[in-house]
Amino acid sequence: MSDPSWPARLAFRKSAQELFIEFDDGVSGVIGYKRLREESPSAEVRGHGSGPRPPQPPVPENISVLGAEPVGRYAVRIRFSDGHDSGLYTWKFLRELVVPA
């Protein structure tokens, strides 16, 4: 049996500023680029340990994705136009962020 959080398709839609993702169990939806950047799982955004999140500069409304690379078989690293690229977005985390289509 396959993991229900396994992505079958990822499509970065530049004109809509969103990531479309479809999982192999049929669940699909979108995540806006701005939300992806704001919710980055990086320590730079989340902080270290259980303390409060460090202050962050506002994410521009027109943030874009410059590229993405797979990390092993469990995540993707996304490079944003503001230079941020340290978050590893696991398939489970992306599924939590997705807004169903």
Side-chain angles (χ1 to χ4, degrees):
M1 187 167 135
S2 65
D3 179 348
S5 296
W6 188 257
R9 182 172 164 224
L10 294 172
F12 290 91
R13 298 174 171 169
K14 186 176 182 176
S15 62
Q17 291 186 295
E18 67 187 15
L19 166 62
F20 172 80
I21 186 165
E22 182 178 351
F23 294 92
D24 62 0
D25 63 357
V27 172
S28 65
V30 296
I31 310 164
Y33 288 172
K34 186 172 191 269
R35 181 160 187 229
L36 273 174
R37 175 59 181 87
E38 289 172 337
E39 297 296 328
S40 173
S42 71
E44 177 185 338
V45 171
R46 301 275 173 169
H48 296 276
S50 60
R53 284 185 173 199
Q56 295 293 310
V59 175
E61 292 294 326
N62 64 345
I63 191 95
S64 60
V65 169
L66 302 178
E69 304 89 33
V71 177
R73 294 179 48 85
Y74 69 97
V76 64
R77 179 187 318 272
I78 301 172
R79 289 179 320 195
F80 292 92
S81 58
D82 67 352
H84 183 76
D85 68 355
S86 61
L88 297 182
Y89 293 80
T90 64
W91 309 139
K92 180 181 179 198
F93 184 66
L94 287 173
R95 189 171 177 126
E96 291 170 5
L97 293 179
V98 77
V99 174

